[in-house]
Amino acid sequence: MAELCGVVGIGQTQHDAKRTDVSAPGLLREAATRALEDAQLTWSDIDAVVIGKAPDMFEGVMMPEIAMGDALGAAGKPILRVHTAGSVGGSTAVVAASLIQAGIHDRVLTVAYEKQSESNAMWALTIKIPFQQAIVAGAGGYFAPLIRAYMARSKAPEDTGIRVALKDRLNALKNPYAHLKIPGVDFDQVANSPMLWDPIRYLETCPSSDGACAMVLSSEKAAESAPTRPAWVWSTAMKSEPTMFSGRDQVNPQAGKDCAAELYKKAGITNPRKEIDAAEIYVPFSWFEPMWMENLGFAEEGLGWEMTYEGATALDGDLPVNCSGGVLSSNPIGASGMLRFAEAAMQVRGQAGEHQVEGARKALGHAYGGGSQFFAMWIVGSEKP
Amino acid sequence: MSEAESELVQSITTPLRLEYQYTAGVASTRFLRGMADGKILGQRCPQCEKVYVPPRGSCARCGVATDLEVQVPGTGTITTFCVVRIPSDSLDIDPPFVAAHILLDGADIPFFALIQECHFDEVRMGMRVEAVWVDAEDLGPTFESIRYFRPIDEPDAPFESYKEHL
Ligand SMILES: [Zn+2]
């Protein structure tokens, strides 16, 4: 029987296009210090540090965690880096939680970050490989054909993506940490923004951000002294699948479906749409909201767009999605997954301020990465499992 | 300290250069040698019988090695695509251009390739296309032996025929 794990401290940075006021370790410390303050703990209370970030090529620094252990108070303690491409922020939290659940540590600091301004992720994602024509222009170039495939399969109304983007951009205005805020943004502004990777428009795309996120995870016993109600981890799950095989459904990947099924089973959830009160989902391009609604079993295949259309995923809907403004509003890649997990925990702790879903008791955090091949998820609750 | 001295150094540029020696391995070698001969070579999975182009030496669906070589023609179907409208330092082509998933006739997995010789607004899912090769003397063991794909005068393939390969 696994030990219980609670989130007792959460911190995130001010996310922005260029945080030139801090170094990369400084950025991490900003988030970590806030998480420690939230937990009313100090660096010496931490038993181990688990860090995550996206591929090293994105910033051009190999194994930055080697140089950062000191800044993260890890001297004399275990430090471990997790790496699962864009889903890394989520899988980092899952690995950190497992150290508590296994009874190995009482308090683990988990952090994730990206300082996109220090290099060029678009360049890093536009590599030439010898057995493929060099035409995949960044993540948008990879995912746009999959979005077109979803549109053709589902016959969703063409403005679904615009509606998702507008919702998330309005939500971001309620999140003090969000990077991209467009006061007065409306449907026409999103619709008229230029196509970057047709069918993806500029305002349907995530920004490039500098930012970090941190959480202090605690055992049940150590959480007794927590000043604020913890978010209890009900279940975690991770799955992967190969990038290329014949018949692979990249629009609705099997690994995502399997990951969600395992997550709900472990948490005793039989009707996710009804039992989950808020979800923070990795949506780097607006159309991924309906796609993931289906993949996560919130909607039947081909009908995810109806949730957006009916307002079900709005802040006042029956399953509010990305109340924080999501990845569309802040995208420090390595931290983006952990922000989803942390925002889910903030919801069940009642800490989400203006973007709080009233009375949220169970929330889902989700991250995906690579060519839609790595998935990490957790469900957190206000009550102990 | 003067104000200038106390200001943070906010950014310095330190360029990195990466060069790779790529060992192709058995399957990619066959494919790349084929490219040098103006041929497209794939491999069939002995278990599910799906044809992989380019071959990677195994079928990740069945977890078995693929060693049965198959040649496929340069004609195929656009299963899905996007129109890239933003420039990228690392690409040799200027936007707008069409990056498409192309399912070659006889293959069971699409790959990314460039579509040319038609306006990007005319490109559609199901459109039939063919490979345009470089001149014979310029053929080499590289995917760049195929310059791009262009439309051919055939009716579009029905969605049902390629929906498993988007
Ligand atoms: Zn097979």
Side-chain angles (χ1 to χ4, degrees):
Chain A
M1 178 72 192
E3 302 288 328
L4 289 186
C5 173
V7 183
V8 296
I10 299 173
Q12 61 181 295
T13 57
Q14 193 65 52
H15 312 300
D16 209 342
K18 285 176 197 279
R19 286 293 309 272
T20 50
D21 58 318
V22 282
S23 62
L27 193 69
L28 271 167
R29 282 184 70 93
E30 185 175 309
T33 307
R34 285 174 181 173
L36 288 169
E37 276 168 10
D38 183 30
Q40 286 180 24
L41 296 172
T42 63
W43 295 99
S44 58
D45 296 316
I46 299 299
D47 302 325
V49 179
V50 184
I51 183 172
K53 76 172 295 292
D56 292 344
M57 282 262 277
F58 288 10
E59 285 146 338
V61 180
M62 295 299 292
M63 298 191 287
E65 70 280 5
I66 302 286
M68 284 181 178
D70 196 21
L72 290 170
K77 297 172 187 175
I79 181 166
L80 172 70
R81 177 178 171 190
V82 179
H83 183 171
T84 58
S87 71
V88 69
S91 46
T92 303
V94 170
V95 169
S98 71
L99 294 175
I100 304 284
Q101 290 162 329
I104 295 168
H105 297 301
D106 278 320
R107 289 191 188 105
V108 175
L109 173 69
T110 184
V111 290
Y113 80 103
E114 206 74 35
K115 208 154 185 289
Q116 284 215 59
S117 69
E118 296 203 355
S119 188
N120 186 337
M122 171 98 176
W123 168 82
L125 283 163
T126 312
I127 46 169
K128 290 183 182 174
I129 47 178
F131 45 85
Q132 186 177 294
Q133 215 169 14
I135 53 161
V136 181
Y142 187 88
F143 290 118
L146 304 183
I147 287 171
R148 187 182 301 279
Y150 173 75
M151 292 161 88
R153 258 163 56 164
S154 67
K155 299 186 173 64
E158 275 182 26
D159 64 357
T160 304
I162 300 171
R163 287 167 183 256
V164 173
L166 179 61
K167 167 184 71 76
D168 285 4
R169 303 221 170 286
L170 289 170
N171 286 346
L173 298 174
K174 299 177 197 278
N175 176 1
Y177 299 105
H179 164 191
L180 193 61
K181 293 188 182 193
I182 311 171
V185 64
D186 62 14
F187 183 94
D188 289 342
Q189 191 180 354
V190 179
N192 296 329
S193 65
M195 284 287 187
L196 298 187
W197 304 270
D198 190 340
I200 304 176
R201 291 173 180 80
Y202 175 68
L203 285 178
E204 294 175 295
T205 305
C206 55
S208 291
S209 313
D210 290 355
C213 181
M215 290 187 282
V216 178
L217 306 184
S218 170
S219 66
E220 186 177 18
K221 188 164 182 299
E224 278 168 14
S225 58
T228 321
R229 189 178 65 192
W232 294 100
V233 177
W234 278 63
S235 68
T236 65
M238 288 193 281
K239 287 275 184 278
S240 67
E241 71 181 36
T243 328
M244 286 192 282
F245 57 89
S246 176
R248 179 173 180 229
D249 187 351
Q250 293 198 71
V251 173
N252 193 4
Q254 191 62 42
K257 288 193 265 190
D258 292 348
C259 193
E262 184 181 310
L263 184 79
Y264 300 145
K265 186 159 183 270
K266 284 183 187 166
I269 286 175
T270 51
N271 184 343
R273 174 99 182 244
K274 209 170 151 213
E275 294 174 59
I276 291 170
D277 303 313
E280 283 279 339
I281 311 292
Y282 204 108
V283 176
F285 304 102
S286 60
W287 277 93
F288 272 84
E289 175 173 295
M291 287 160 70
W292 291 148
M293 287 300 101
E294 296 170 24
N295 196 240
L296 287 164
F298 290 121
E300 275 179 49
E301 182 153 9
L303 298 179
W305 59 271
E306 286 185 352
M307 292 183 68
T308 304
Y309 239 75
E310 291 161 0
T313 58
L315 195 43
D316 59 356
D318 72 75
L319 181 73
V321 173
N322 295 335
C323 301
S324 64
V327 180
L328 282 183
S329 306
S330 312
N331 185 33
I333 305 174
S336 292
M338 191 172 287
L339 285 165
R340 310 280 68 73
F341 279 47
E343 287 281 352
M346 284 161 62
Q347 288 290 348
V348 298
R349 293 177 87 198
Q351 272 184 326
E354 267 194 84
H355 64 280
Q356 177 68 44
V357 174
E358 214 171 308
R361 293 161 58 88
K362 259 184 210 150
L364 181 144
H366 160 278
Y368 88 100
S372 301
Q373 73 207 97
F374 298 112
F375 293 86
M377 305 172 188
W378 79 2
I379 289 173
V380 282
S382 53
E383 310 291 328
K384 286 182 189 176
Chain B
M1 271 196 304
S2 73
E3 203 175 310
E5 278 174 330
S6 64
E7 231 172 65
L8 287 176
V9 175
Q10 296 200 331
S11 178
I12 54 169
T13 303
T14 53
L16 290 177
R17 186 180 167 86
L18 297 174
E19 275 185 38
Y20 291 89
Q21 299 270 354
Y22 175 71
T23 302
V26 177
S28 291
T29 292
R30 287 298 304 152
F31 174 76
L32 294 169
R33 293 262 182 252
M35 283 280 123
D37 290 339
K39 286 191 245 172
I40 305 172
L41 299 178
Q43 286 180 340
R44 188 187 301 280
C45 172
Q47 206 160 306
C48 67
E49 302 197 326
K50 301 293 182 190
V51 172
Y52 283 82
V53 182
R56 302 303 306 277
S58 65
C59 172
R61 169 182 162 132
C62 305
V64 297
T66 52
D67 46 11
L68 189 70
E69 191 161 284
V70 206
Q71 185 177 346
V72 297
T75 52
T77 301
I78 295 177
T79 68
T80 184
F81 66 97
C82 71
V83 185
V84 179
R85 288 169 175 272
I86 59 166
S88 169
D89 294 342
S90 25
L91 296 182
D92 300 329
I93 176 159
D94 292 325
F97 65 86
V98 175
H101 288 194
I102 293 173
L103 182 69
L104 291 178
D105 298 336
D108 294 297
I109 189 165
F111 56 76
F112 260 108
L114 179 68
I115 307 298
Q116 298 268 272
E117 292 192 37
C118 77
H119 192 269
F120 59 83
D121 274 347
E122 289 163 23
V123 175
R124 43 194 193 272
M125 292 170 73
M127 193 178 211
R128 299 282 297 153
V129 292
E130 67 179 2
V132 176
W133 295 77
V134 297
D135 294 337
E137 63 269 26
D138 296 328
L139 286 171
T142 163
F143 207 108
E144 287 169 16
S145 289
I146 293 177
R147 293 170 63 202
Y148 53 79
F149 284 77
R150 70 180 169 206
I152 49 177
D153 189 19
E154 279 183 21
D156 287 359
F159 185 63
E160 289 299 311
S161 70
Y162 60 83
K163 67 171 186 186
E164 306 292 324
H165 304 292
L166 293 168

